[in-house]
Amino acid sequence: MTAILGKSPELAGPVLRLFSVDCLIGGCEGSILLDSTGNSTAEKDSPLNQGVGGYQVVDAIKAKLEAACPGVVSCADTLALAARDAVRLTKGPFIPLPTGRRDGNRSVAADVAPNSPPPGATIADIIALFASKFNLTAKDLAVLSGAHTIGRARCSTVSPRLYNFGGRSGASDPTLDASYTATLRGQCKPGDTATLVDLGPPTPATFDTDYYALVAGNRGLLSTDAALLLHPATSAYVAAQANATSSAQFFADFAASFVAMSRLGVLTHHKGEIRQVCSKVNPPAPTTTNAGAGAGAGRSYYRLTTTAGLALITTLAVADLLM
């Protein structure tokens, strides 16, 4: 990841988002990485996931892992650890992350919408979705939204707030700071769907609390960012971090929420598989007369293990309790 981001630092945001999308649609089991097949459209090809990227990063790392230790490290863990490192390498916290995830073999585009906020969803609707489907709190939502401190978004995502807002010709979102609206209109012309704009200027490549200062000042780029100001629990967290004198509390909170999210729907032991190629399920294994012994011997690789310091993060995850 150091080499990848050294060459292409703009990939940190997409990798972090890719992991969040994977976890929030069926769990952290690498289903977002699977390609569509002739008779099934995969999650990555859902219209709601057309802006998701970073797949090439996981593929590059997985290829090296398979060359060094074939069949040991799953695509789900590869993605999880790449996302962890994307945070650290952009000056965010190091997150002691449990490993041992195995890969799922189901990826269906129809699963995306039921696990995503519907069009017109309010912040209360989003908080309810997080609670009911993911056992995540309003604070987790506010904390994990802080990942928008790095990365970029396409103009197609931003333009509905800049032009013809609410169906009114020429109108912009009145909750968006007027000077920021003018700046964004200079970057995103009407009809522009390709240009990328920074989620968290002026430090788009640094994982910090500037995101919360932007949101508090009505300069959050996305409508979901602005929505954080419309609920007491999330607006209180935004205000606290916008006025914080250091990033220490946000870093601790983010580590806890990230670990909680990383545990969603994981497959371990005999469940799932270790994909050889992240975009494809494995071919059927040949039958052997000693299959039981082989399966038992292999299981030791797949226990959900921890790294030093996980006890502290787990304590925070339980106390605070999700990409």
Side-chain angles (χ1 to χ4, degrees):
M1 282 300 289
T2 299
I4 289 170
L5 297 186
K7 183 179 180 180
S8 304
E10 72 281 359
L11 287 173
V15 169
L16 184 53
R17 184 186 175 197
L18 182 62
F19 179 58
S20 299
V21 171
D22 185 45
C23 290
L24 297 178
I25 304 173
C28 309
E29 32 73 272
S31 58
I32 188 65
L33 306 173
L34 286 169
D35 286 343
S36 296
T37 62
N39 56 6
S40 177
T41 302
E43 293 170 17
K44 66 167 58 173
D45 291 323
S46 163
L48 294 175
N49 284 336
Q50 290 308 293
V52 177
Y55 300 102
Q56 72 273 36
V57 174
V58 182
D59 290 341
I61 298 172
K62 176 64 172 175
K64 289 183 176 291
L65 286 167
E66 284 299 300
C69 46
V72 175
V73 184
S74 68
C75 296
D77 267 353
T78 302
L79 174 55
L81 296 176
R84 175 202 68 180
D85 290 352
V87 173
R88 181 59 175 164
L89 292 170
T90 52
K91 301 183 180 180
F94 175 75
I95 304 172
L97 197 65
T99 54
R101 300 166 189 80
R102 285 167 68 91
D103 300 318
N105 56 16
R106 171 187 168 87
S107 184
V108 179
D111 292 341
V112 176
N115 291 286
S116 305
T122 66
I123 185 64
D125 295 332
I126 297 173
I127 290 172
L129 175 72
F130 268 48
S132 64
K133 285 191 173 290
F134 314 125
N135 196 29
L136 298 171
T137 67
K139 179 181 178 181
D140 289 316
L141 174 60
V143 170
L144 291 169
S145 294
H148 292 171
T149 185
I150 60 173
R152 298 180 291 180
R154 295 188 184 279
C155 283
S156 57
T157 304
V158 183
S159 289
R161 302 188 71 195
L162 305 178
Y163 305 102
N164 304 323
F165 182 79
R168 301 188 305 274
S169 179
S172 61
D173 185 344
T175 67
L176 192 62
D177 176 79
S179 63
Y180 190 39
T181 298
T183 298
L184 290 173
R185 281 181 166 180
Q187 296 175 293
C188 296
K189 302 300 183 183
D192 182 354
T193 60
T195 300
L196 296 169
V197 293
D198 293 328
L199 283 166
T203 57
T206 302
F207 198 94
D208 54 26
T209 58
D210 283 0
Y211 164 79
Y212 293 104
L214 290 169
V215 173
N218 296 313
R219 297 168 72 89
L221 184 68
L222 307 179
S223 58
T224 51
D225 298 329
L228 294 177
L229 298 176
L230 303 178
H231 189 278
T234 51
S235 64
Y237 191 83
V238 168
Q241 297 310 314
N243 294 299
T245 56
S246 82
S247 57
Q249 187 61 57
F250 169 53
F251 281 10
D253 290 341
F254 190 85
S257 293
F258 189 89
V259 169
M261 181 179 70
S262 79
R263 294 180 180 275
L264 293 175
V266 295
L267 304 175
T268 59
H269 300 295
H270 62 283
K271 297 180 180 179
E273 63 182 13
I274 306 295
R275 274 187 232 136
Q276 298 168 10
V277 177
C278 291
S279 60
K280 301 176 182 178
V281 297
N282 292 341
T287 57
T288 64
T289 57
N290 199 28
R299 271 187 203 177
S300 61
Y301 285 118
Y302 310 131
R303 284 187 189 150
L304 196 63
T305 59
T306 61
T307 52
L310 179 60
L312 171 61
I313 301 303
T314 303
T315 300
L316 286 170
V318 171
D320 293 333
L321 97 165
L322 276 246
M323 31 25 6

